[in-house]
Amino acid sequence: MKFICLTLLMISGITDSISERYEVVGPADPVFAVAGEDVILPCSVKPNISVVDMRVEWFRSDLKDSQLVHLYENHEDRNTDQIQSYRGRTKLNHPELQRGNASLKLSSVRVSDEGLYKCFIQSKSRSDDATVNVSVEAVGRPPVITVDGFDHSGGLHLQCESEGWNPEPDLEWLDSAGVSLSSETTEAHRNTEGFNVKHTITVHHSDKIHCRVKLRHHMLEALIISSSNMFNSWRTSVIVIVVLSVIAGILIAVFAHKNRGKILVFLLFYIFYVNKAV
């Protein structure tokens, strides 16, 4: 009888051991998400055994201290230590846990969600994990063209700026014929909302100038017409400045001629006073 009981215990232990053998599997390729939409981060165990009684933890492995994204433990979600930006946006499908599916649904995706995630599953006797690489695409705001004055040669300075893209988009200037124009200065800065890009250019004649921002199959564009009136106003301003300068020079010369005696006395008095002070 003792032998039979011992045999049954051994068989039970072997069965439990076999059932504990599993591998956590994630996607081989990066998961692409679109900002503002929902995405599923795949994670499951092979063979498809139940993980209902196990600990399922999702965390960001690329952040300092591997911060918590979602935790399932003791048959319930426990997200008191969850990263603040993920609050109310993560969800496990509890019925799917019975089939070994621990995929995480992430709602209202943000650019800041881009990065490396770990799906960690732990039973009583073992643990394993898989990495999920999430890439987020965000279409930014329409570009804005601003006029930034003229240079010394009469060229019109134009600046084009667009915000909120991810990854970094391509920005180019085009003339009315669709010919690409070289940017003089280019800037790109990234924040939690994505990339901000800014390019400048100088034009010297009237034309339709396009600023185009592209990211894969997305494209946004702005247009400005550099009319001849803009350049005429600059030429008029230059002429006015030159004329005023000439008039001012003439007035100064006339004043100096009429009052040269007084000016000479003032200079002599000034020189005498300075020498005396020294």
Side-chain angles (χ1 to χ4, degrees):
M1 186 66 179
K2 290 183 179 180
F3 175 77
I4 295 174
C5 292
L6 182 60
T7 303
L8 291 174
L9 287 173
M10 291 178 62
I11 293 173
S12 176
I14 293 172
T15 303
D16 290 341
S17 177
I18 293 174
S19 67
E20 288 289 310
R21 294 177 185 174
Y22 61 87
E23 177 186 4
V24 178
V25 180
D29 300 317
V31 174
F32 288 95
V34 178
E37 298 183 3
D38 300 344
V39 68
I40 300 294
L41 310 188
C43 178
S44 59
V45 296
K46 298 295 181 182
N48 297 328
I49 60 174
S50 173
V51 296
V52 170
D53 299 324
M54 300 184 190
R55 174 189 174 98
V56 178
E57 181 179 354
W58 281 89
F59 59 89
R60 286 287 296 270
S61 59
D62 59 337
L63 298 182
K64 186 178 180 180
D65 300 327
S66 299
Q67 299 183 49
L68 180 67
V69 173
H70 193 98
L71 175 62
Y72 169 87
E73 189 176 32
N74 294 331
H75 305 102
E76 63 180 4
D77 297 312
R78 299 187 173 188
N79 290 321
T80 53
D81 295 327
Q82 185 182 44
I83 302 174
Q84 184 66 36
S85 61
Y86 288 91
R87 292 289 170 88
R89 299 197 298 123
T90 61
K91 185 178 180 181
L92 289 174
N93 189 333
H94 288 200
E96 284 294 311
L97 295 176
Q98 188 69 40
R99 291 181 279 273
N101 184 1
S103 299
L104 183 72
K105 180 181 180 180
L106 181 58
S107 303
S108 302
V109 171
R110 305 173 183 176
V111 171
S112 58
D113 295 335
E114 183 172 87
L116 297 177
Y117 292 73
K118 283 282 189 182
C119 173
F120 175 82
I121 300 179
Q122 183 180 35
S123 66
K124 293 179 180 179
S125 60
R126 65 172 280 117
S127 65
D128 195 19
D129 63 70
T131 299
V132 181
N133 185 5
V134 176
S135 179
V136 178
E137 180 183 277
V139 178
R141 302 177 185 86
V144 176
I145 300 176
T146 55
V147 178
D148 197 23
F150 294 87
D151 64 11
H152 64 279
S153 64
L156 182 65
H157 287 299
L158 299 177
Q159 175 181 286
C160 182
E161 185 173 9
S162 185
E163 303 176 341
W165 295 82
N166 196 65
E168 183 179 348
D170 295 319
L171 188 154
E172 63 177 340
W173 294 95
L174 302 167
D175 63 15
S176 57
V179 177
S180 180
L181 305 174
S182 299
S183 298
E184 294 175 353
T185 63
T186 62
E187 295 180 28
H189 304 286
R190 189 180 187 186
N191 54 36
T192 56
E193 295 183 356
F195 282 92
N196 299 340
V197 291
K198 182 191 301 183
H199 289 206
T200 62
I201 195 173
T202 301
V203 295
H204 293 85
H205 55 84
S206 58
D207 198 357
K208 293 182 179 179
I209 306 298
H210 300 258
C211 174
R212 181 177 295 170
V213 187
K214 295 188 298 182
L215 177 62
R216 300 189 179 106
H217 59 282
H218 304 288
M219 183 179 73
L220 297 177
E221 188 172 296
L223 168 67
I224 187 172
I225 300 176
S226 57
S227 65
S228 57
N229 291 335
M230 293 181 177
F231 297 97
N232 291 337
S233 64
W234 176 83
R235 295 187 185 97
T236 302
S237 299
V238 172
I239 292 172
V240 170
I241 292 173
V242 171
V243 171
L244 290 176
S245 299
V246 171
I247 293 174
I250 293 173
L251 291 175
I252 292 172
V254 170
F255 177 82
H257 178 74
K258 290 183 177 181
N259 299 276
R260 60 180 180 271
K262 295 180 180 179
I263 294 174
L264 181 60
V265 170
F266 174 77
L267 290 175
L268 291 173
F269 174 78
Y270 177 76
I271 294 171
F272 173 77
Y273 178 78
V274 171
N275 289 335
K276 186 177 180 182
V278 174

